[in-house]
Amino acid sequence: MKRKTTSGSISSITRSIRRTPGKKPDATVAAPVVPAILPGRLHDVVNDTKSRAFCGPTAVAAITGEPVSRVRDAFRLVRYGANWTSRHRSPPVMGTYPHEVESVLRLFGYVGIWRTVEGLPTLAAYLEGREGLQRTHPCVVRVKRHVVAVSGWVFCDTLSKGQVVDADQAPGRRKRVKEVFVITRRVAPAAHIPTKTAAVRTARTTARRGTVADMTAMAR
């Protein structure tokens, strides 16, 4: 007699795995471990670039713990595609759109949903009145055309200079909240986010210098 199993159980999943006859499945290959969401936690932003980090990259860096350079590369990937690295200069990342923020967070393994906040409350009122996952989980909060990161009762923003502060001390608490992106679960991050390596930048710089030197010699 065959044992009945519920859909999605370990037994039913095991039966659905097919393998080559005579070849045993590799038991050493395990599914990637996806970290759990840590309520009430943000990261101090590490700006490893030579320029200012705007609000979108700052909020993503605060939630993910990724350095600003890698967050910007993720925004460039979402905005321009994988071939952005072939550009002469890296496109700047300043103003960002909600769908870009969502896509970049997904690249780093953070999945969520946008929620409209009724009544346009102030940031202070929103923090006091929120419920459910919005009260505990990391969120990107849109205040006017600006975004900030909130998780539990900690806050991070460009106005806090990328430092995590108590939500009660958050700057801009009188600004009106429009919508919130709530992180609901973690998934495996993207395998690769293209970047311009130092070797490529050095080679291009050397090539340009050589061209200038050749032109100077010809002028002489």
Side-chain angles (χ1 to χ4, degrees):
M1 179 178 180
K2 293 184 179 180
R3 183 178 56 179
K4 294 183 179 180
T5 57
T6 58
S7 176
S9 67
I10 295 177
S11 299
S12 63
I13 293 173
T14 303
R15 289 202 310 273
S16 66
I17 298 175
R18 298 191 178 190
R19 60 184 177 89
T20 305
K23 183 179 179 181
K24 294 182 179 180
D26 187 356
T28 63
V29 178
V33 177
V34 178
I37 296 175
L38 298 178
R41 181 179 177 183
L42 294 175
H43 302 267
D44 289 333
V45 175
V46 177
N47 187 355
D48 56 344
T49 71
K50 296 181 180 179
S51 57
R52 169 191 172 192
F54 286 78
C55 63
T58 296
V60 172
I63 291 174
T64 63
E66 297 286 345
V68 170
S69 60
R70 194 156 187 259
V71 173
R72 284 180 176 175
D73 287 345
F75 272 101
R76 292 173 180 129
L77 173 61
V78 168
R79 186 174 292 180
Y80 303 105
N83 292 328
W84 75 264
T85 55
S86 63
R87 294 179 175 231
H88 179 64
R89 291 185 178 180
S90 299
V93 179
M94 295 183 286
T96 56
Y97 294 97
H99 72 273
E100 292 177 330
V101 172
E102 178 178 355
S103 297
V104 169
L105 283 168
R106 175 61 182 81
L107 288 176
F108 291 121
Y110 292 78
V111 177
I113 186 171
W114 284 103
R115 296 291 190 187
T116 301
V117 180
E118 300 294 337
L120 298 177
T122 63
L123 177 60
Y126 165 75
L127 292 174
E128 291 292 343
R130 60 201 163 134
E131 298 177 349
L133 297 183
Q134 296 185 43
R135 197 171 185 87
T136 58
H137 283 41
C139 298
V140 177
V141 182
R142 286 192 67 204
V143 285
K144 294 187 177 181
R145 298 179 62 184
H146 187 67
V147 295
V148 302
V150 175
S151 184
W153 288 98
V154 292
F155 172 98
C156 188
D157 179 27
T158 54
L159 296 178
S160 69
K161 298 181 180 180
Q163 299 299 303
V164 178
V165 299
D166 192 282
D168 290 334
Q169 301 173 355
R173 286 169 56 85
R174 292 186 178 182
K175 293 182 178 179
R176 299 288 176 175
V177 175
K178 296 180 62 177
E179 57 183 342
V180 181
F181 184 74
V182 189
I183 304 297
T184 57
R185 61 191 176 97
R186 295 287 305 273
V187 296
H192 176 63
I193 296 176
T195 186
K196 282 192 174 184
T197 62
V200 171
R201 290 195 295 267
T202 302
R204 289 179 177 176
T205 301
T206 303
R208 289 197 298 271
R209 288 176 179 172
T211 302
V212 172
D214 292 343
M215 293 176 64
T216 303
M218 291 175 63
R220 291 178 180 175

